Amino acid sequence: MGCCYSFFCNDDSSSQAGEPTERTHLLVNPVSINTTVVHANSEDYIFRNANTLPKKTDEQSALNRILQETATNVIDVAALDSHNLQHHEYLERMKHYNVKVQQVMGNNRNALSYKVKLSLLQDIPMPEKVMMSEPINPEDIKLINSFLSSAVASIQDIKVEHKENLVEPFGINC
Amino acid sequence: MVEEVRKLLQDILQKIQGLHCILITDRDGVPLLKVGTDKAPENALRPNFISTFGLAIDQGSKLGLGKTGTLICSYAQYQVIQMNKLPLIVTFITSDTCNTGHILALQNQINPIISTLTLAVAES
């Protein structure tokens, strides 16, 4: 039986590695292929180079890879709870963040300030004071209006008189 | 500047009925900014409760939920709405009757603050 096992094992490794060795069969035995398929699914990683070069490190890394893949895919609810922050660590980090936040906010003051503003209108702390203040003198309003109207009239009077050509040719002699 | 940001959050807190607390924490639940009323339940402010969000979305992605953006937990008296802004987590604690959509819409308003605060965590 031992012989038989080693025979399959050899065949397994040679056929999977894809490289012919001195033990490789010239004619492929269909029965042995069937057995390799069974092996290939579960022990593919481990027996890949089992006979040709039995490298411990390869085997170890393959096993580690399997372990890692399994660990990332498994949802271990019991292990989730294990990562708890210690109280002093929590306080330390909170202090650290306080300082950091102050710094970062200070550095990005310009970027933040216009986004932080809620509205363009500002609160008036004592509205009744503003409401109760005396209205503007009607004569002042008249004065402002007359100045404004004369300003508007003068702006409308501005005219551009063109005397020279607007487009001036430069250095075109030919 | 921190005070101004805190004031903005406080304003949001007052404007939305039923909103008890806004917490901006790192993924372990350590707060960077926190505003809240006394109605916010103490247990929900604990770091190990808040950090559960990070674990839950990690594990959820293994189940095929994909990359989770927001988690809304509805309880008998409270809602806990957590947003994935990793390395930060934004947590809103509200009453059960609070308008959830309104809270979700706050994202746009809060995003500039988050992006600045991310620097504080990233640099450390």
Side-chain angles (χ1 to χ4, degrees):
Chain A
M1 273 310 278
C3 254
C4 187
Y5 176 75
S6 72
F7 163 74
F8 282 129
C9 208
N10 293 345
D11 196 58
D12 186 3
S13 62
S14 63
S15 69
Q16 282 182 25
E19 291 170 5
T21 61
E22 74 278 3
R23 288 166 196 255
T24 313
H25 291 263
L26 293 173
L27 293 173
V28 180
N29 183 359
V31 182
S32 70
I33 286 179
N34 286 342
T35 56
T36 59
V37 170
V38 176
H39 278 291
N41 287 334
S42 56
E43 296 166 358
D44 182 29
Y45 289 111
I46 302 167
F47 288 115
R48 186 162 290 170
N49 289 320
N51 198 39
T52 51
L53 275 171
K55 286 183 185 170
K56 254 261 161 94
T57 51
D58 278 6
E59 206 172 292
Q60 200 63 40
S61 66
L63 283 169
N64 282 338
R65 203 167 59 238
I66 296 169
L67 193 69
Q68 264 183 6
E69 276 174 22
T70 316
T72 48
N73 289 329
V74 162
I75 299 176
D76 189 356
V77 177
L80 295 181
D81 219 19
S82 62
H83 179 68
N84 270 337
L85 218 57
Q86 296 294 321
H87 189 65
H88 66 90
E89 205 180 335
Y90 171 80
L91 291 177
E92 223 168 77
R93 218 193 276 188
M94 209 157 80
K95 271 184 200 166
H96 175 73
Y97 281 152
N98 267 338
V99 178
K100 274 279 174 195
V101 167
Q102 295 272 7
Q103 275 180 10
V104 169
M105 291 271 180
N107 292 342
N108 297 285
R109 180 178 287 270
N110 295 334
L112 264 180
S113 55
Y114 78 96
K115 284 170 185 166
V116 166
K117 263 189 186 168
L118 285 175
S119 65
L120 293 170
L121 303 176
Q122 284 193 337
D123 277 346
I124 299 167
M126 302 272 278
E128 58 275 5
K129 261 191 180 177
V130 180
M131 306 294 265
M132 284 172 70
S133 61
E134 279 187 25
I136 303 170
N137 200 352
E139 281 181 14
D140 287 350
I141 295 176
K142 253 186 207 170
L143 187 70
I144 292 167
N145 278 340
S146 66
F147 275 134
L148 258 178
S149 56
S150 58
V152 169
S154 58
I155 286 172
Q156 279 172 348
D157 265 1
I158 295 174
K159 279 176 188 168
V160 180
E161 284 178 27
H162 95 93
K163 290 173 182 170
E164 296 170 2
N165 283 339
L166 286 175
V167 181
E168 198 66 39
F170 284 107
I172 304 171
N173 297 324
C174 51
Chain B
M1 199 64 213
V2 180
E3 282 311 309
E4 288 167 37
V5 173
R6 195 164 280 149
K7 193 170 175 296
L8 170 76
L9 295 179
Q10 199 77 45
D11 277 348
I12 293 171
L13 203 71
Q14 282 169 358
K15 276 183 189 165
I16 299 177
Q17 205 177 10
L19 178 57
H20 296 325
C21 184
I22 304 173
L23 260 172
I24 301 172
T25 63
D26 71 348
R27 67 161 38 240
D28 291 325
V30 183
L32 277 87
L33 264 182
K34 177 174 159 185
V35 289
T37 60
D38 48 355
K39 285 182 188 167
E42 271 298 310
N43 286 340
L45 304 178
R46 286 186 183 167
N48 39 4
F49 174 78
I50 289 163
S51 63
T52 311
F53 171 73
L55 299 171
I57 59 169
D58 280 350
Q59 305 309 315
S61 65
K62 287 180 193 173
L63 293 171
L65 287 179
K67 198 181 168 222
T68 313
T70 311
L71 185 79
I72 303 166
C73 298
S74 209
Y75 301 98
Q77 293 176 37
Y78 299 104
Q79 288 181 71
V80 178
I81 299 159
Q82 290 185 298
M83 291 173 185
N84 175 7
K85 304 278 179 193
L86 288 172
L88 298 178
I89 302 171
V90 187
T91 309
F92 297 92
I93 297 164
T94 71
S95 69
D96 59 325
T97 52
C98 182
N99 187 340
T100 316
H102 200 166
I103 304 291
L104 296 180
L106 288 177
Q107 276 199 76
N108 297 333
Q109 217 170 330
I110 280 183
N111 272 341
I113 301 172
I114 300 296
S115 53
T116 312
L117 284 177
T118 306
L119 299 174
V121 180
E123 281 173 11
S124 57

